[in-house]
Amino acid sequence: MNYLKYIFILLPLLAFTQVNEVEQDSTDVTYIVIEGDSIPKTAIDLDEVMLLHKLEFDSKQDRIRYLILRRKTIKVYPYAKMAAERLDSLTKRLQTITKKRQKKRYTKKVQKYIEGEFSDELKKLTRTEGQILVKLIHRQTGRTAFDLVKELRNGWRAFWYNTTANVFDIKLKKEYDPWHDKEDYLIEDILQRNFQSGRLERQKSALDISFLDLTDKWIYGKTKAK
C-alpha cells in the first residue's frame, strides 16, 4: 500500500487564537476577553447539532456489514483528513519554490519524512480499507487520488503506477459519491455519527454534501434532483 503514503505531505500548520476565560461584571452582563478586548455577550452560543435518524437494519447481515464498514471508516478517516491538511500546505510551499533543484531537494525530504512517519501504518491497510481511504481523500480534498498523482508529478507519478497502483486492486480514479452509491452514503452516516460523538475530529468536506438530503433519499425514499 506504498502509494497511499504519498498523500501525506508536509508537517501540519498550526494556528492559535488566544481566548481567555469568560468574565462577568456586577450587572450580570457576560464578557468574553480576547487578547485584551472585552466583548459583551447576552446569550450563550451553542454548536449546531444535527438530529440523526435511528439506525435500523433489514437483517442481521446488513447490521454486520455496517459495523465492519464503520470500523474501516473510522480507521482510515484520520489519514484522509491529514492528507487534506498537508496537501494544502504542500501546494502553498511548492508555489514559493522557483528552482527545479530546490523543488527536487524538497520533494526528497518530504518523501523520507512520509516513509518514516506513515509507511508502517499504511502497510497494514487491507484492500477495502485502501479503497475507502481513496474515496475519503476525494471527500476531503475535492480531487481523486489519480488527479493528485497528475498534479504532484516530481517523479512520483511513475512510482505510483509502476510499483503499487497496478499491484493492488484499488481504483485511484474512484470518487466519493454518497448520492448514487449506497455504501458511500453509509460511510457519510458513519462519519456524521462519529463527528457528533467526538470520536472523529470534524473537518469540512471539499464536496457539497447535504446529509439531510441524502437521508431523505436513502432512508425515506424522497428523491431530489442532484
Side-chain angles (χ1 to χ4, degrees):
M1 200 64 60
N2 292 337
Y3 79 90
L4 293 174
K5 68 189 176 186
Y6 288 97
I7 291 294
F8 308 102
I9 320 283
L10 200 62
L11 290 170
L13 300 178
L14 301 177
F16 298 90
T17 301
Q18 182 179 357
V19 178
N20 296 329
E21 295 295 331
V22 172
E23 295 183 357
Q24 192 171 33
D25 64 11
S26 59
T27 61
D28 291 330
V29 176
T30 302
Y31 291 82
I32 296 180
V33 180
I34 302 178
E35 295 184 347
D37 294 331
S38 297
I39 303 174
K41 295 281 292 183
T42 58
I44 299 176
D45 294 329
L46 298 177
D47 293 334
E48 181 180 343
V49 176
M50 182 185 301
L51 297 179
L52 302 176
H53 64 281
K54 181 180 179 181
L55 282 176
E56 295 181 355
F57 303 97
D58 294 333
S59 65
K60 180 179 179 181
Q61 289 71 25
D62 286 345
R63 181 176 182 274
I64 292 174
R65 281 194 290 267
Y66 179 88
L67 294 177
I68 292 174
L69 184 63
R70 182 176 68 180
R71 174 176 56 80
K72 294 174 183 281
T73 299
I74 291 173
K75 179 178 179 180
V76 303
Y77 170 78
Y79 294 115
K81 177 178 177 294
M82 194 178 303
E85 296 169 348
R86 300 192 177 186
L87 176 64
D88 180 66
S89 298
L90 174 70
T91 301
K92 293 178 180 178
R93 173 63 176 141
L94 289 178
Q95 289 175 348
T96 65
I97 302 176
T98 57
K99 296 182 179 180
K100 289 185 177 180
R101 178 177 296 182
Q102 291 179 346
K103 284 188 176 182
K104 186 176 182 180
R105 185 181 305 163
Y106 176 72
T107 298
K108 288 184 178 180
K109 183 177 180 180
V110 171
Q111 287 177 351
K112 289 182 179 179
Y113 167 75
I114 293 170
E115 291 178 5
E117 192 74 12
F118 300 107
S119 59
D120 289 342
E121 288 299 319
L122 293 176
K123 286 177 182 177
K124 300 176 184 178
L125 297 183
T126 65
R127 187 197 67 81
T128 55
E129 289 170 347
Q131 190 65 77
I132 292 173
L133 176 57
V134 166
K135 292 194 289 187
L136 288 181
I137 286 173
H138 179 243
R139 181 188 189 274
Q140 300 310 121
T141 68
R143 285 169 281 180
T144 65
F146 178 84
D147 290 335
L148 292 176
V149 171
K150 291 175 63 176
E151 292 177 25
L152 304 176
R153 294 173 185 271
N154 295 324
W156 293 345
R157 186 178 186 182
F159 175 83
W160 280 33
Y161 287 124
N162 294 337
T163 64
T164 52
N166 292 330
V167 175
F168 296 94
D169 184 21
I170 295 178
K171 301 176 182 178
L172 296 181
K173 293 183 178 181
K174 188 69 174 178
E175 296 183 354
Y176 185 69
D177 186 11
W179 189 258
H180 298 101
D181 190 324
K182 179 64 177 292
E183 179 179 279
D184 288 359
Y185 164 71
L186 293 177
I187 290 174
E188 189 65 29
D189 178 273
I190 291 166
L191 291 177
Q192 294 300 328
R193 293 179 188 278
N194 284 275
F195 290 156
Q196 285 205 9
S197 70
R199 186 170 186 178
L200 294 178
E201 183 178 353
R202 185 185 298 273
Q203 181 189 65
K204 182 177 175 57
S205 171
L207 307 178
D208 183 15
I209 298 174
S210 171
F211 183 66
L212 295 179
D213 287 344
L214 290 171
T215 299
D216 281 344
K217 174 184 177 178
W218 292 108
I219 303 301
Y220 304 114
K222 299 178 182 178
T223 58
K224 182 177 180 180
K226 197 73 175 175

